Amino acid sequence: NKKWILFAENRGWLLQRNSEATKNELKNRGLSSKQIEESIVYTQESMDAFFDEVCKLTERFSSQFEFIYRPHPGTNFSMRENMPKCFHLISAYSIYDWIKNCDLFLTCESTSIFEAEMCGKPIAVIDLVEEPDYLKMAGVHDYPKIETLETICCEYICMLQEQHGEREAIYSRYLGNVDGNATLRVIEATKKIYQKKDNVSRINYKKITFKKNFRQALYEIITFIMDKLGLLDKLKFPKSAYIERGDVPYSLKNKWIRE
């Protein structure tokens, strides 16, 4: 008889993959060393503040809501000892299944908020620590923001639902029309760009080398064998596959993906 609140987590991956390889990848995306370190500090402070907030949830909240916390894909979190009974850490099932069945969608900055809006769900953003501007995802902070989880009540959810029906769709500013034809539009736009003679000379093609193809194929084969032998969890190898083991589609533990 309770309402379901879904929190889609977008943080955490940087804390669990805090390696030089990850930092180099972020540098290639345009972040400086200082910005990368600041983003690590922000992530830790933001998540600590969030879980402190969850631990303070009152009996009033717990009696009205079930709080489903969905970690960022490829991340692992352990439950704190003093978590309320209404808090559920669940990685299983598609995000779309959760969106379709929740009564309120919350996030810090996950782009799945666009999809929740497409599905007509009440939506809001919560982040208890100010995020550096260069890390903010375009569009996400256009949505209503709540300062504390205790703000949430049935009346508040109804108010968000009413706002949803009254305003222009925010996702359309960033994703365009949602009609199932987005891929076709990208293909047509690519063709038009290519067909303009003055653009052809500026197009640089990057071919995938045989070495890269071979390494990728070998990686997939090794991952498959390690999973089937039950060694992926024990040896934690390949490391990147182990980190994202919750999303390996053929894994026996991930039956929910095939369902």
Side-chain angles (χ1 to χ4, degrees):
N1 296 322
K2 297 181 184 180
K3 290 187 179 295
W4 287 12
I5 298 173
L6 170 64
F7 185 92
E9 183 64 271
N10 61 287
R11 303 162 297 186
W13 63 272
L14 187 55
L15 299 178
Q16 296 188 21
R17 304 185 199 180
N18 188 3
S19 64
E20 287 305 313
T22 300
K23 291 179 180 179
N24 287 333
E25 182 182 338
L26 293 173
K27 287 177 184 177
N28 290 334
R29 296 183 189 180
L31 291 181
S32 66
S33 296
K34 181 181 177 182
Q35 288 174 328
I36 292 171
E37 295 306 319
E38 286 177 349
S39 63
I40 293 171
V41 172
Y42 156 75
T43 301
Q44 188 66 67
E45 291 180 350
S46 177
M47 296 193 73
D48 286 345
F50 172 77
F51 284 116
D52 287 344
E53 174 81 359
V54 170
C55 291
K56 295 175 185 176
L57 289 174
T58 62
E59 284 296 325
R60 190 276 310 172
F61 186 98
S62 295
S63 66
Q64 293 182 332
F65 304 108
E66 299 288 2
F67 193 94
I68 297 101
Y69 176 82
R70 182 179 170 83
H72 188 286
T75 59
N76 261 334
F77 294 102
S78 56
M79 293 278 281
R80 290 190 183 184
E81 292 183 0
N82 54 340
M83 286 292 189
K85 291 182 179 179
C86 67
F87 182 88
H88 310 278
L89 192 156
I90 307 176
S91 296
Y93 304 108
S94 164
I95 186 68
Y96 301 109
D97 291 330
W98 287 113
I99 288 175
K100 285 186 291 184
N101 288 285
C102 73
D103 296 287
L104 172 64
F105 177 95
L106 296 179
T107 188
C108 171
E109 201 170 63
S110 171
T111 53
S112 55
I113 195 169
F114 295 131
E115 292 148 308
E117 184 188 21
M118 292 173 201
C119 294
K121 295 294 180 176
I123 43 186
V125 173
I126 178 169
D127 191 4
L128 304 172
V129 177
E130 183 62 29
E131 184 178 21
D133 289 337
Y134 59 84
L135 289 176
K136 290 182 178 178
M137 179 62 65
V140 172
H141 296 275
D142 294 351
Y143 291 100
K145 186 172 183 178
I146 60 175
E147 302 298 328
T148 172
L149 292 174
E150 281 295 331
T151 303
I152 301 171
C153 60
C154 294
E155 291 76 17
Y156 183 77
I157 294 176
C158 289
M159 182 191 74
L160 289 176
Q161 187 71 70
E162 290 173 3
Q163 290 179 356
H164 180 279
E166 294 171 355
R167 67 166 183 262
E168 171 202 2
I170 293 173
Y171 71 79
S172 63
R173 304 174 196 167
Y174 302 91
L175 303 181
N177 295 326
V178 178
D179 54 9
N181 296 312
T183 302
L184 291 176
R185 282 196 290 273
V186 171
I187 292 171
E188 291 304 314
T190 304
K191 286 180 179 177
K192 288 179 180 178
I193 292 171
Y194 178 76
Q195 287 166 358
K196 288 184 178 180
K197 293 182 179 179
D198 58 333
N199 284 337
V200 174
S201 62
R202 297 202 300 269
I203 296 176
N204 295 317
Y205 295 96
K206 186 173 183 180
K207 295 183 179 180
I208 299 176
T209 63
F210 173 81
K211 181 180 178 181
K212 188 173 180 64
N213 258 334
F214 178 77
R215 287 182 62 184
Q216 183 63 33
L218 187 62
Y219 167 83
E220 296 292 348
I221 293 170
I222 292 174
T223 298
F224 180 83
I225 293 173
M226 294 292 281
D227 179 77
K228 292 304 178 185
L229 294 177
L231 297 175
L232 186 60
D233 282 335
K234 294 179 180 179
L235 300 181
K236 301 180 182 180
F237 178 83
K239 186 176 180 180
S240 56
Y242 173 75
I243 290 173
E244 304 212 25
R245 62 194 180 283
D247 296 303
V248 176
Y250 49 75
S251 175
L252 295 175
K253 294 182 178 180
N254 297 332
K255 184 180 177 183
W256 65 269
I257 296 177
R258 296 184 293 282
E259 291 176 343

